[in-house]
């Protein structure tokens, strides 16, 4: 798939006010400072689409971007550490769970994980949460350019081992990416395109 158009549509903290269009939606989420905005900009080929910042916790709203006029890319606040007040964090964590549990247009989530680190408890907890509520998802490992290939493979294997030990039957679909080098862009877009094609074949899914 080639991204021809990427248009910002709306930011809000109320799931009921998300776009009403019945088109496939893909949510991107991860720990604060995982490189989410950079990845979104890399995937869409628009370096200014999502706002990047050196300060963790920059994204605090549900941000909808319409891609190629036929699917939404959704940029969600990071979970875990962020320099916001406890009250603010409680609010956006609440609308994160409401989004995943109530948003009917959501067809797949992507959990972003910094490949430089070994399996983190908070990432595993969020993955298990998505499994519990039965939301289809894939894992996107970020910042592959900042680590050696052998160490990257070791860290991915650690996640596989941790998930299998927690009653997962297999490792979810995963992608290794680098926003700096453009690694993984085609694979992620192809995965989305495959799902879209399947969805559009059965128009009853989005009527």
């Amino acid at each position: 798939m080639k991204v021809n158009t990427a248009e910002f549509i709306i930011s809000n903290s109320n799931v009921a006010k998300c776009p009403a269009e019945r088109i496939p939606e893909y949510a991107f989420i991860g720990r604060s400072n995982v490189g989410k905005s950079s990845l979104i900009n890399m995937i869409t080929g628009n370096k200014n689409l999502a706002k990047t910042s050196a300060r963790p916790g920059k994204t605090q709203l549900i941000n909808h971007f319409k891609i190629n006029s036929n699917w939404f890319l959704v940029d969600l606040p990071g979970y875990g550490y962020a320099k916001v007040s406890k009250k603010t964090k409680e609010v956006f964590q609440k609308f994160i769970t409401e989004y995943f549990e109530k948003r009917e247009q959501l067809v797949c989530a992507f959990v972003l994980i910094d490949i430089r680190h070994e399996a983190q408890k908070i990432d595993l907890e969020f993955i298990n949460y998505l499994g519990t509520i039965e939301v289809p998802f894939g894992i996107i490992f970020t910042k592959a350019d900042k680590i050696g290939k052998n160490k990257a493979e070791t860290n991915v294997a650690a996640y596989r081992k941790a998930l299998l030990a927690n009653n997962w039957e297999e490792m979810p679909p995963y992608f290794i990416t680098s926003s700096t080098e453009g690694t993984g862009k085609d694979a992620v877009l192809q995965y989305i395109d495959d799902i879209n094609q399947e969805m559009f074949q059965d128009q009853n899914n989005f009527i």
Side-chain angles (χ1 to χ4, degrees):
M1 179 204 306
K2 181 179 179 181
V3 174
N4 296 311
T5 60
E7 177 187 6
F8 170 74
I9 301 299
I10 191 173
S11 291
N12 73 91
S13 59
N14 186 339
V15 176
K17 294 182 179 179
C18 289
E21 290 179 78
R22 306 291 292 182
I23 58 177
E25 201 159 282
Y26 298 82
F28 288 69
I29 190 168
R31 262 184 307 133
S32 298
N33 210 30
V34 74
K36 176 164 52 67
S37 295
S38 295
L39 178 83
I40 289 172
N41 292 343
M42 183 266 283
I43 288 175
T44 59
N46 185 337
K47 64 181 181 179
N48 298 314
L49 191 68
K51 295 181 180 179
T52 59
S53 173
R55 177 169 60 85
K58 179 73 173 178
T59 305
Q60 295 183 31
L61 295 169
I62 303 171
N63 299 298
H64 274 77
F65 301 95
K66 184 182 285 188
I67 311 299
N68 291 347
S69 300
N70 63 12
W71 59 278
F72 281 119
L73 185 157
V74 184
D75 181 8
L76 293 171
Y79 52 79
Y81 170 79
K83 282 190 176 180
V84 295
S85 69
K86 182 178 180 181
K87 182 178 180 180
T88 299
K89 185 177 292 188
E90 288 175 349
V91 169
F92 76 63
Q93 296 294 356
K94 182 175 185 293
F95 71 67
I96 287 175
T97 57
E98 287 184 347
Y99 173 83
F100 281 111
E101 294 174 17
K102 296 180 179 180
R103 186 64 174 163
E104 295 180 356
Q105 288 91 328
L106 176 66
V107 298
C108 182
F110 289 106
V111 181
L112 276 59
I113 294 174
D114 189 332
I115 201 168
R116 296 176 297 177
H117 307 303
E118 296 181 1
Q120 302 290 303
K121 180 181 178 182
I122 191 168
D123 291 324
L124 293 170
E125 287 177 345
F126 194 80
I127 287 170
N128 286 326
Y129 163 69
L130 292 180
T132 299
I133 62 174
E134 299 183 344
V135 169
F137 71 94
I139 297 174
I140 296 181
F141 291 98
T142 63
K143 306 186 180 182
D145 58 293
K146 300 182 184 299
I147 190 174
K149 184 178 179 180
N150 290 338
K151 180 62 174 175
E153 292 177 351
T154 297
N155 288 350
V156 170
Y159 273 92
R160 179 184 291 107
K161 181 178 180 181
L163 290 173
L164 294 180
N166 198 40
N167 298 320
W168 286 81
E169 294 183 357
E170 59 184 0
M171 179 75 168
Y174 70 90
F175 309 87
I176 296 176
T177 69
S178 165
S179 298
T180 301
E181 299 178 348
T183 307
K185 174 180 179 178
D186 291 341
V188 173
L189 286 175
Q190 185 61 57
Y191 186 74
I192 292 172
D193 192 44
D194 289 344
I195 296 175
N196 283 345
Q197 293 302 320
E198 184 176 339
M199 285 289 175
F200 295 141
Q201 284 175 8
D202 184 0
Q203 292 296 323
N204 291 328
N205 281 313
F206 288 93
I207 292 178

